[in-house]
Amino acid sequence: TEVLKRETVQQRSEMIDKFVTIAQHCRDFNNYNGAYAIIAGLNHSSLARLKDTWEKVNKKTASKFKLLSDLFNMDENFKNYRESLANSKLPLVPYLGMIPKILLNIEESTPTLALNGNVNFQKMRIVNKILQNLQDYQAMAFPFCIDPALRACLKSLKVYDERQAYIVSQKREMSKQFSDKNALKK
């Protein structure tokens, strides 16, 4: 939404630069959830289609964006993310959207009871490890102070819904595409 609110290509590319920088800071502080949210937002179709805007993004920012996108690539069940998470030190915030998927996968793919009718302790150990990791992640706080003004600012931001984002996205760069097509017809 914040990128789409910007009128010019230059303003939008600068806003993308700011968001990529914030995502990189999140990653540097092991806030995978924050980094993922920003990268997912920048990959949203309403932004991804803004070709002129993305062409204006500087090469250093584009390179950071690619590295962060690769980190959260879904190939091999988020292999890059899982490796990075395993090598990270506390404090950290994991990508929270993955945890329910992992638990559901374990529940559906691994029987709770072994063939002999006893509890499948291997499954319970796996679930316990995931839950223990979550507890460990929560045990150490980040060394940041809460900025009430920043919090209030972030809470007050207005977000476009899917339809609004699509319409604004079209308006931002569709007019150029339309005028280019008309120029070709002449």
Side-chain angles (χ1 to χ4, degrees):
T1 297
E2 290 305 306
V3 174
L4 291 173
K5 286 180 181 177
R6 303 309 184 261
E7 295 282 333
T8 68
V9 168
Q10 185 62 38
Q11 290 170 335
R12 288 190 298 276
S13 69
E14 289 170 3
M15 187 57 61
I16 288 171
D17 182 66
K18 287 179 184 179
F19 276 112
V20 170
T21 299
I22 293 168
Q24 183 61 57
H25 286 306
C26 288
R27 169 58 195 96
D28 293 344
F29 284 105
N30 294 328
N31 180 350
Y32 292 98
N33 199 65
Y36 182 88
I38 293 168
I39 296 305
L42 291 173
N43 277 314
H44 188 274
S45 61
S46 294
L47 290 180
R49 66 173 297 284
L50 300 176
K51 292 184 184 355
D52 293 342
T53 298
W54 283 99
E55 286 175 8
K56 280 278 192 193
V57 170
N58 73 56
K59 292 190 186 327
K60 189 175 179 180
T61 298
S63 177
K64 281 187 210 175
F65 178 72
K66 174 152 180 27
L67 287 172
L68 289 165
S69 293
D70 288 347
L71 174 66
F72 297 109
N73 187 309
M74 289 188 265
D75 289 351
E76 297 182 54
N77 195 23
F78 288 89
K79 179 183 180 220
N80 296 338
Y81 162 72
R82 289 184 293 109
E83 287 175 357
S84 183
L85 184 68
N87 293 317
S88 295
K89 303 220 181 310
L90 297 176
L92 69 80
V93 179
Y95 167 48
L96 299 172
M98 185 176 288
I99 295 164
K101 291 176 188 176
I102 292 169
L103 292 172
L104 181 62
N105 186 354
I106 292 166
E107 177 60 29
E108 290 182 346
S109 66
T110 311
T112 302
L113 298 177
L115 294 175
N116 62 7
N118 293 335
V119 172
N120 182 349
F121 283 101
Q122 182 61 29
K123 175 181 180 176
M124 299 306 143
R125 283 186 199 99
I126 294 168
V127 171
N128 181 62
K129 177 71 174 153
I130 292 165
L131 298 177
Q132 184 62 53
N133 285 344
L134 279 175
Q135 284 184 324
D136 292 346
Y137 300 152
Q138 295 173 15
M140 186 181 287
F142 284 93
F144 308 127
C145 295
I146 294 173
D147 182 337
L150 177 60
R151 176 180 270 183
C153 176
L154 292 173
K155 284 186 171 188
S156 71
L157 294 174
K158 303 292 183 226
V159 179
Y160 293 149
D161 63 26
E162 289 285 326
R163 185 174 174 277
Q164 291 170 316
Y166 176 78
I167 290 168
V168 172
S169 175
Q170 279 194 316
K171 285 180 183 176
R172 292 292 181 243
E173 291 191 15
M174 184 60 84
S175 58
K176 182 187 181 305
Q177 292 171 0
F178 182 73
S179 65
D180 288 349
K181 286 180 184 177
N182 283 341
L184 291 174
K185 289 180 182 177
K186 291 181 181 179

